[in-house]
Amino acid sequence: MRSRRQFLCLAAGALALAGPARAAPAVDRQLTRRLELWAKAAAGTQVLVARYALTRQSTLLQAPLKTAGTLLVRAPDTLVLRDDDRAGATTRLARGRLEIRPNDPALPALAEAPSPTVTWLFEHVLALFSVPDGAGEPTAALYADARLTVPRGPGHLLAITPRRDHPARREIRDLVVHLDPHTGDVDQLELLEAGGDKVVLTFSQRRRDAPEDEVAALLQPT
């Protein structure tokens, strides 16, 4: 369940020459380009179905924990992660409600109000995949209680960091988004936890035209 709730130096002389006033616009332009790329895919998306592969890395595990399943995002307020494996679970999030139902019916289900950390994560993951028509400024939900930056590293990355005074900051260090350089689709999410653990979700087979009966089936309990 925790995996549901829950990325380095320039020479001093170069920094002095650049100066804060000159460096800031370059960073802002890079961030703007990332957000424009992302908005190409997210804007207007009402329903998204995709496959995911999840890996959890932890010092408490002898080997990474891996699972795969199906993601459903439905605007404006529903996110479902359904593991394939019988040992996995179906996690369903809506605003104000978290349900985790093991795929093994012999195991008890959980239904509760989500914590501030889970709510923060839910709102930002939902916003990454879906910006419904008429939602206004597409980046507003990404900036809510968060700071956006472009981290160093290969690929088209975007880091979403909980605001310092938000409770989620105690558990989440960064949510790093890997974007497809051509379409702007979210290819991968890396959840970097404050304790050093990492959860990686890699997405494939995205469909925005899934039939209603498939969507309804994913919304039903297993």
Side-chain angles (χ1 to χ4, degrees):
M1 291 188 294
R2 181 175 171 83
S3 65
R4 309 294 192 194
R5 303 179 181 182
Q6 335 257 293
F7 227 162
L8 195 180
C9 178
L10 295 174
L15 285 173
L17 287 173
R22 295 184 182 181
V27 173
D28 290 345
R29 285 197 296 271
Q30 191 178 29
L31 177 59
T32 297
R33 289 195 295 268
R34 288 286 191 277
L35 292 173
E36 288 173 347
L37 175 64
W38 158 77
K40 286 170 53 177
T45 298
Q46 299 287 339
V47 174
L48 177 72
V49 175
R51 293 289 299 165
Y52 66 80
L54 183 151
T55 301
R56 180 175 184 84
Q57 302 173 11
S58 173
T59 56
L60 300 178
L61 298 171
Q62 291 184 337
L65 177 64
K66 297 183 178 182
T67 189
T70 301
L71 165 79
L72 168 66
V73 176
R74 187 178 69 170
D77 62 0
T78 302
L79 178 65
V80 177
L81 292 162
R82 175 165 288 185
D83 297 338
D84 295 336
D85 198 299
R86 184 176 174 82
T90 296
T91 300
R92 182 177 294 101
L93 273 160
R95 289 193 174 91
R97 185 169 179 81
L98 165 67
E99 297 179 14
I100 300 178
R101 186 179 298 273
N103 291 344
D104 183 348
L107 298 176
L110 167 71
E112 64 182 17
S115 68
T117 297
V118 173
T119 298
W120 185 95
L121 188 59
F122 162 69
E123 294 288 355
H124 287 83
V125 172
L126 185 68
L128 281 168
F129 285 105
S130 173
V131 180
D133 292 330
E137 169 55 45
T139 63
L142 296 185
Y143 275 107
D145 295 319
R147 177 173 60 92
L148 273 57
T149 57
V150 176
R152 294 181 182 181
H156 290 65
L157 307 180
L158 176 67
I160 306 174
T161 305
R163 201 181 62 215
R164 287 188 180 276
D165 60 348
H166 193 280
R169 188 63 180 269
R170 294 196 291 266
E171 298 182 60
I172 297 174
R173 193 172 87 229
D174 283 308
L175 177 63
V176 180
V177 187
H178 294 241
L179 299 173
D180 184 288
H182 306 293
T183 67
D185 281 305
V186 176
D187 279 343
Q188 188 176 87
L189 294 176
E190 293 185 54
L191 178 64
L192 306 181
E193 298 179 357
D197 291 0
K198 179 167 71 172
V199 179
V200 180
L201 278 159
T202 304
F203 302 98
S204 62
Q205 302 178 38
R206 290 173 290 265
R207 292 181 292 127
R208 293 177 172 82
D209 57 353
E212 291 186 10
D213 57 345
E214 180 181 0
V215 173
L218 287 169
L219 289 170
Q220 293 301 313
T222 51

